[in-house]
């Protein structure tokens, strides 16, 4: 056994307890049997309307329902719930790839260790600073750092130093106010170090919850240990990180299996820690260097994908949902109203992709290649408010404290004013004239919808301060 295996691959069977293959298989059969019962489907829709969430079995029944009228009700309710809990705000972020060195053998990822065509690269701290300045010049305030798993090239110390570099880089009016982290499963001790470094959300995709298929797709490397990977969020929460983000890569297995597994994982976190996932991501398999999507017969079509987003919104109404530039402008427009609350803009999925425009190390192909300004203008055209706010992290509104505010319908009192103020910052500092005009009109309209006179007056005062050049990074 290697030192890496000793450190990262302890034996465990806990994962099989909360992600039960038998329960998933039984749920799929149960959903098919009950999805044709109109009364059952309508009762589940009524339950979802109470904003109490759904079990994985109830959600599966809605996914299997083929009645056009009931499907329409599901989509309408998803839009209603999204509006009630998150309003028309869409949080903006960008990924920052630090290194493509990786010792895993994941067959769907071009970073796999046997790929000899992709250049291997790791950013120095000076290069990270250049990437951050390029992102700040776009207007970004929130990043998600990404790195391959390699304890020699990308040890936890490198990740911690990179976080420190990102937070310490200030350029003109730019500052990255929150760093979310998407790195490989690690130890409780290392999660504590990430928490102490001031990260926002720890994100890790399960890829697929089908253990047998997972082991085929991950033949070598630390990630091949299904239990170690699946239990990562438990260890993260034990290490003090109370905002975690889960997700699967739809298309690696059947969407039925992975949707049930995803919801069972959310239920487990809620039951064990009293708070479910802060975010759920819904990426789909897409082309990349050395990867052909034709090798994955379970690829999810657009209509099913939209239903997945809607049903997740009904099942876990208080959880943020993320969609990346893997998806096209057309698909992103469809799912924004169904439940998505965070999107990336102006993204690059390669190491050095922002400062140097280097795309040789891209992890996957980007479908939506528009600039951040174009995405912001597009969101405004669709009636959304792009938000660059990170105040919840800074004010300690994380974990159960954040969920409590959402469940009581109070989070808008914090998020709406901060969304408007951070949008004003963006308009003043980075926006094109066309986007600025649209944004100012949207802010004026939204100010009229703030119900509290006190909040409206305070927001108006801060907006004027921002317009006059004040930048104190409070948001």
């Amino acid at each position: 056994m290697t030192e890496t295996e000793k450190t990262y691959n302890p034996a465990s069977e806990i994962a099989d307890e909360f992600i039960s293959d038998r329960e998933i298989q039984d749920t799929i059969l149960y959903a098919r049997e009950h999805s044709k019962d109109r009364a059952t489907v309508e009762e589940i829709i009524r339950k979802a309307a109470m904003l109490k969430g759904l079990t994985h079995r109830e959600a599966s029944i809605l996914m299997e329902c083929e009645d056009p009228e009931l499907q329409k009700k599901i989509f309408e309710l998803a839009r209603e719930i999204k509006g009630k809990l998150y309003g028309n705000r869409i949080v903006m972020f960008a990924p920052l790839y630090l290194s493509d060195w990786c010792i895993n053998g994941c067959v769907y990822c071009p970073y796999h260790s046997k790929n000899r065509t992709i250049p291997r690269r790791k950013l120095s701290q000076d290069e990270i600073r250049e990437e951050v300045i390029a992102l700040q010049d776009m207007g970004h305030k929130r990043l998600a750092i990404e790195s391959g798993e390699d304890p020699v090239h990308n040890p936890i110390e490198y990740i911690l130093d990179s976080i420190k570099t990102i937070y310490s880089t200030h350029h003109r009016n730019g500052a990255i106010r929150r760093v979310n982290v998407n790195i490989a499963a690690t130890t409780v001790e290392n999660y504590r170090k990430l928490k102490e470094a001031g990260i926002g959300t720890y994100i890790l995709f399960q890829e697929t919850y089908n253990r047998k298929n997972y082991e085929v797709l991950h033949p070598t490397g630390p990630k091949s240990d299904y239990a170690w990977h699946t239990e990562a969020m438990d260890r993260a929460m034990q290490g003090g990180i109370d905002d975690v983000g889960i997700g699967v890569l739809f298309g690696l297995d059947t969407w039925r299996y992975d949707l049930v597994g995803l919801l069972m994982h959310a239920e487990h976190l809620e039951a064990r820690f009293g708070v479910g996932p802060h975010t759920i991501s819904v990426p789909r398999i897409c082309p990349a260097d050395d990867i052909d999507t034709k090798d994955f017969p379970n690829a999810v079509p657009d209509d099913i994908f939209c239903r997945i987003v809607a049903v997740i919104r009904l099942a876990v109404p208080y959880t943020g949902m993320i969609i990346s530039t893997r998806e096209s402008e057309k698909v992103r427009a469809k799912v924004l109203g169904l439940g998505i609350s965070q999107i990336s803009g102006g993204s690059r999925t390669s190491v050095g992709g922002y400062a140097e425009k280097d795309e040789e190390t891209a992890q996957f192909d980007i479908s939506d290649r528009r600039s951040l300004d174009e995405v912001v203008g597009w969101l405004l055209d669709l009636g959304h408010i792009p938000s660059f706010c990170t105040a919840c992290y800074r004010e300690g509104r994380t974990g159960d404290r954040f969920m409590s505010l959402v469940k009581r319908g109070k989070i808008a009192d914090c998020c709406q004013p901060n969304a408007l103020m951070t949008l004003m910052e963006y308009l003043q500092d980075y926006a094109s004239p066309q986007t600025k005009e649209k944004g100012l009109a949207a802010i004026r309209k939204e100010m009229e919808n703030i119900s509290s006179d006190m909040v409206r007056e305070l927001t108006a005062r801060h907006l004027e301060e921002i317009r006059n050049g004040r930048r104190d990074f409070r948001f």
Side-chain angles (χ1 to χ4, degrees):
M1 182 178 290
T2 67
E3 287 301 313
T4 297
E5 289 171 329
K6 288 179 184 177
T7 303
Y8 290 97
N9 292 348
S12 174
E13 299 301 327
I14 298 174
D16 288 333
E17 295 176 7
F18 65 85
I19 305 294
S20 164
D21 176 74
R22 172 58 64 87
E23 173 58 21
I24 293 176
Q25 301 287 5
D26 287 350
T27 294
I28 292 171
L29 292 174
Y30 179 87
R32 286 172 174 164
E33 292 171 0
H34 290 78
S35 62
K36 295 180 177 59
D37 184 338
R38 186 180 182 91
T40 297
V41 175
E42 288 180 333
E43 179 59 30
I44 294 172
I45 293 173
R46 283 194 291 271
K47 178 184 176 182
M50 297 172 66
L51 302 180
K52 299 298 183 183
L54 300 174
T55 67
H56 58 274
R57 287 203 168 195
E58 291 167 335
S60 296
I61 290 173
L62 296 189
M63 278 301 302
E64 293 289 350
C65 176
E66 297 294 341
D67 184 310
E69 182 181 346
L70 293 177
Q71 283 187 5
K72 182 179 178 181
K73 287 185 178 181
I74 292 168
F75 278 76
E76 288 174 346
L77 181 57
R79 293 186 182 93
E80 181 182 332
I81 291 174
K82 167 63 167 46
K84 282 183 177 179
L85 297 181
Y86 288 94
N88 59 351
R89 300 179 301 280
I90 301 294
V91 172
M92 310 300 302
F93 76 96
L96 173 57
Y97 282 74
L98 303 179
S99 171
D100 63 358
W101 283 98
C102 192
I103 60 174
N104 289 313
C106 314
V107 302
Y108 53 87
C109 176
Y111 289 0
H112 67 84
S113 58
K114 293 183 179 180
N115 186 356
R116 298 292 183 259
T117 64
I118 192 169
R120 299 294 175 173
R121 184 179 179 191
K122 168 187 172 181
L123 295 179
S124 68
Q125 297 305 311
D126 285 341
E127 289 171 327
I128 290 172
R129 193 170 290 106
E130 292 173 1
E131 289 284 281
V132 171
I133 288 173
L135 284 157
Q136 289 174 351
D137 279 342
M138 293 183 200
H140 277 296
K141 307 296 182 186
R142 180 191 305 233
L143 302 183
I145 59 173
E146 320 262 354
S147 174
E149 182 170 12
D150 188 322
V152 174
H153 290 93
N154 314 324
I156 190 65
E157 291 75 19
Y158 171 68
I159 301 300
L160 297 172
D161 287 344
S162 300
I163 293 170
K164 187 180 298 183
T165 296
I166 293 168
Y167 279 140
S168 66
T169 301
H170 293 258
H171 174 65
R172 297 175 183 163
N173 287 332
I176 300 304
R177 299 170 183 168
R178 193 53 49 188
V179 176
N180 296 336
V181 174
N182 184 355
I183 62 170
T186 187
T187 62
V188 173
E189 179 184 358
N190 285 344
Y191 286 125
R192 288 197 183 102
K193 292 177 180 178
L194 289 172
K195 175 68 174 180
E196 291 168 1
I199 73 165
T201 304
Y202 173 68
I203 303 164
L204 185 67
F205 298 162
Q206 179 60 27
E207 318 300 6
T208 178
Y209 286 95
N210 186 322
R211 183 169 190 152
K212 290 181 179 179
N213 194 22
Y214 180 96
E215 291 172 350
V216 171
L217 292 165
H218 306 88
T220 60
K223 195 171 178 177
S224 64
D225 188 323
Y226 173 86
W228 175 253
H229 189 81
T230 308
E231 295 164 22
M233 295 308 180
D234 291 56
R235 295 192 301 278
M237 287 194 164
Q238 290 166 10
I241 299 175
D242 52 4
D243 277 356
V244 298
I246 64 176
V248 294
L249 182 53
F250 282 104
L252 294 183
D253 206 279
T254 68
W255 61 261
R256 289 179 173 87
Y257 196 104
D258 280 333
L259 179 62
V260 177
L262 184 71
L263 296 177
M264 288 177 70
H265 200 168
E267 291 167 355
H268 163 73
L269 295 174
E270 181 79 41
R272 184 173 183 189
F273 299 101
V275 57
H278 185 70
T279 59
I280 291 178
S281 298
V282 287
R284 290 190 286 178
I285 190 73
C286 68
D289 180 272
D290 196 40
I291 305 298
D292 188 344
T293 52
K294 293 178 181 177
D295 295 332
F296 299 91
N298 292 310
V300 178
D302 290 352
D303 60 332
I304 295 296
F305 183 66
C306 290
R307 285 165 65 181
I308 288 172
V309 172
V311 169
I312 291 176
R313 176 48 64 216
L314 270 58
V316 279
Y318 312 110
T319 296
M321 292 183 67
I322 301 175
I323 195 167
S324 75
T325 47
R326 284 176 181 265
E327 301 297 342
S328 67
E329 174 183 344
K330 180 181 177 182
V331 170
R332 300 221 286 179
K334 285 183 178 179
V335 297
L336 277 171
L338 296 175
I340 298 299
S341 57
Q342 295 187 28
I343 68 170
S344 52
S347 301
R348 296 291 181 269
T349 64
S350 53
V351 181
Y354 296 104
E356 302 173 20
K357 311 298 184 185
D358 180 3
E359 296 192 11
E360 286 190 295
T361 60
Q363 189 185 34
F364 57 85
D365 290 350
I366 293 173
S367 293
D368 189 345
R369 304 186 69 86
R370 293 173 296 170
S371 68
L372 177 61
D373 189 75
E374 289 173 317
V375 173
V376 168
W378 169 71
L379 288 171
L380 291 166
D381 287 339
L382 294 176
H384 299 289
I385 296 297
S387 174
F388 296 85
C389 177
T390 60
C392 283
Y393 295 114
R394 301 156 73 83
E395 297 298 324
R397 292 190 293 267
T398 60
D400 56 358
R401 294 172 295 283
F402 175 83
M403 291 295 179
S404 175
L405 285 170
V406 179
K407 291 177 180 180
R408 289 186 287 117
K410 299 294 185 181
I411 196 65
D413 294 340
C414 306
C415 292
Q416 191 69 358
N418 282 330
L420 298 180
M421 288 185 277
T422 56
L423 174 58
M424 177 65 86
E425 277 189 302
Y426 175 82
L427 298 176
Q428 294 294 109
D429 295 343
Y430 307 104
S432 64
Q434 298 89 341
T435 300
K436 184 173 183 179
E437 182 179 355
K438 295 176 187 177
L440 292 175
I443 290 173
R444 287 192 294 269
K445 180 179 178 181
E446 290 299 316
M447 286 292 290
E448 297 173 359
N449 297 327
I450 296 178
S451 58
S452 167
D453 290 341
M454 182 181 69
V455 173
R456 185 168 56 253
E457 291 173 8
L458 184 62
T459 304
R461 185 162 69 249
H462 287 328
L463 288 172
E464 188 60 28
E465 290 173 351
I466 294 167
R467 192 192 296 268
N468 291 331
R470 181 174 178 180
R471 302 288 184 276
D472 61 5
F473 308 118
R474 75 181 71 173
F475 312 113

